[in-house]
Amino acid sequence: MNRRHLLLGATATAAAGGGLYLAGRGPSYSHASAPVRVEMEARSDADMRYLVHHAVLAANSHNTQPWLFGTGERHLEITPDLRRETPVVDPDHHHLFVSLGCAAENLSLAALAAGAQANIGFVSTAAGLRVDLERTRETRDPLFAAIRSRQCTRADYDGRASKPADLASLEQAAAVKGCRVMLITEKPVMTNVLDLIVAANSAQIADGAFMRELKSWIRFNAASAVATGDGLYSACTGNPSLPSWLGNALFERVVTAEGENAKCVSQIRSSAGLAIFVSDENDPAHWVQAGRSYQRFALQATRLGLKHAFLNQPVEVEGFRLQLARLVGTGDKRPDLVVRFGYGTAMPMSMRRPIADVMTALR
Ligand SMILES: Cc1cc2nc3c(=O)[nH]c(=O)nc-3n(C[C@H](O)[C@H](O)[C@H](O)COP(=O)(O)O)c2cc1C
């Protein structure tokens, strides 16, 4: 399902007796979420709060924020927080390691802006990543400026094509060792990928365990999004806010394959193209690289005024992943991520937990 572009349209509004739960559409959500993306000054080239502040703004699956940052004098450890795993949609922790890669990329851009080169290494699946900071000249990479405004925009776009020079610059920005990005802008190929998205989406919606896990990460109103600081807030996808009890009660009834597939169709048809990220090897170290590549792509897209969003259904259901690999010609390589891009209007920004909740000082 277009995740998580759900939810709850007219049916839910009617069921709520026309009385939408509006808390958070106004100042309370903007007020509570403002510190998440506040501009910060680095106090030194190893200002850990500054680095983590930017790292957590990265994309991450279901917005579970499955990371912990151990901080030393001049190094950090980014470890998986397995209390925040999503075992149904992500049984092998692929998305979790991609999410760590996204965070590591933001962190490395922030480190450069603070005057440090971040040397990122994969340690192990349990220990995650180690980042060593090496003093260098303060450099504001142009991608750094886009960290606070990047978002996944789960809406229809306006159908305009991207300029060839912009496509080339996206490819260039996404170039990361151990992973490649394939940009698809030909409509017939996009339609073939759409067919797989729709088929995989239907399979996921028919899977009760998938739906239960997804529902547990939906935040049906601002109060709930702000209280947890995580999850998928309905307003970020243009959906009405509802009391949590009502959202939970209606979820399976209003999220139907028919309705969600129709959204996928109009979203792909209105997009300028698709980006498929493919790592060289199918292992956690390379999934991290795919995350880094996506994050750089997304930041460059943001700079160019392009919106983007994931449609990962065919990489999440194994049978469809193989079909996607065959369709776009990745050979024996695993397609990691499917992202659409195009021109459109921004949605409300997603929440994050306070950085104090994810930082611990290393001895
Ligand atoms: C590995 C990974 C998989 C994701 N899969 C999907 C997806 O299939 N559909 C979707 O709408 N968003 C997907 N997302 C986007 C996240 O839900 C999003 O990053 C998160 O909610 C935070 O929102 P933001 O990116 O706008 O800050 C994925 C993100 C990552 C890193």
Side-chain angles (χ1 to χ4, degrees):
M1 141 176 16
N2 185 7
R3 244 195 302 280
R4 273 122 219 203
H5 176 165
L6 356 138
L7 306 178
L8 311 178
T11 321
T13 310
L20 283 184
Y21 185 74
L22 287 174
R25 284 292 194 133
S28 68
Y29 183 75
S30 17
H31 182 75
S33 60
V36 169
R37 290 176 180 80
V38 76
E39 187 164 9
M40 207 174 163
E41 288 296 321
R43 287 167 309 179
S44 72
D45 63 310
D47 181 343
M48 296 297 167
R49 288 178 49 77
Y50 179 82
L51 300 184
V52 175
H53 176 70
H54 289 94
V56 300
L57 296 181
N60 65 96
S61 182
H62 279 22
N63 200 19
T64 67
Q65 303 157 38
W67 42 52
L68 292 168
F69 297 83
T71 58
E73 282 278 295
R74 296 200 63 81
H75 86 280
L76 298 98
E77 295 169 5
I78 310 179
T79 50
D81 184 351
L82 294 181
R83 294 166 301 180
R84 292 178 166 267
E85 65 175 351
T86 48
V88 180
V89 70
D90 190 30
D92 57 2
H93 291 157
H94 170 275
H95 283 4
L96 189 152
F97 282 101
V98 169
S99 302
L100 297 193
C102 297
E105 189 57 35
N106 271 9
L107 193 147
S108 99
L109 293 165
L112 258 189
Q117 164 84 36
N119 299 315
I120 301 168
F122 179 83
V123 181
S124 67
T125 50
L129 310 178
R130 179 180 167 108
V131 183
D132 287 293
L133 301 173
E134 199 181 313
R135 199 158 288 134
T136 185
R137 197 157 52 88
E138 280 177 36
T139 312
R140 292 221 161 209
D141 188 301
L143 297 184
F144 172 75
I147 288 180
R148 293 185 300 122
S149 50
R150 182 213 59 84
Q151 68 165 205
C152 292
T153 309
R154 299 179 189 87
D156 284 356
Y157 303 150
D158 69 6
R160 264 187 296 150
S162 297
K163 297 186 207 85
D166 287 352
L167 295 172
S169 84
L170 287 169
E171 265 175 345
Q172 211 178 355
V176 155
K177 201 165 162 245
C179 174
R180 74 182 161 121
V181 63
M182 304 171 75
L183 297 187
I184 298 172
T185 52
E186 304 81 14
K187 293 294 174 190
V189 187
M190 286 172 69
T191 302
N192 290 339
V193 176
L194 170 62
D195 290 344
L196 285 182
I197 291 171
V198 163
N201 195 42
S202 302
Q204 288 185 323
I205 291 178
D207 177 351
F210 174 87
M211 292 292 274
R212 279 190 295 281
E213 180 179 84
L214 175 57
K215 185 163 82 172
S216 73
W217 288 101
I218 302 285
R219 306 293 174 248
F220 292 99
N221 53 69
S224 148
V226 168
T228 59
D230 63 14
L232 302 160
Y233 172 34
S234 55
C236 296
T237 54
N239 287 297
S241 290
L242 296 171
S244 300
W245 65 267
L246 186 58
N248 277 303
L250 291 176
F251 185 73
E252 283 86 356
R253 261 181 287 164
V254 296
V255 179
T256 62
E258 199 186 8
E260 297 305 319
N261 287 342
K263 289 178 191 164
C264 295
V265 171
S266 67
Q267 290 179 354
I268 295 273
R269 288 201 182 137
S270 64
S271 294
L274 297 173
I276 301 189
F277 295 81
V278 186
S279 49
D280 291 351
E281 302 287 340
N282 188 18
D283 61 33
H286 286 81
W287 302 338
V288 167
Q289 293 304 94
R292 295 185 67 181
S293 176
Y294 152 77
Q295 190 68 25
R296 295 181 61 80
F297 169 93
L299 293 171
Q300 177 64 6
T302 306
R303 285 188 69 211
L304 295 171
L306 279 165
K307 301 288 183 278
H308 75 281
F310 291 87
L311 282 169
N312 273 331
Q313 293 89 337
V315 298
E316 292 171 350
V317 186
E318 195 163 353
F320 292 105
R321 192 153 72 221
L322 298 175
Q323 289 185 47
L324 179 65
R326 237 174 278 136
L327 176 66
V328 297
T330 67
D332 58 353
K333 310 261 187 281
R334 172 180 182 159
D336 292 284
L337 303 166
V338 179
V339 173
R340 67 188 171 96
F341 58 90
Y343 300 92
T345 309
M347 305 290 282
M349 302 300 274
S350 58
M351 276 302 292
R352 293 294 186 274
R353 291 174 292 152
I355 57 172
D357 290 9
V358 296
M359 282 177 77
T360 42
L362 297 168
R363 286 166 196 283

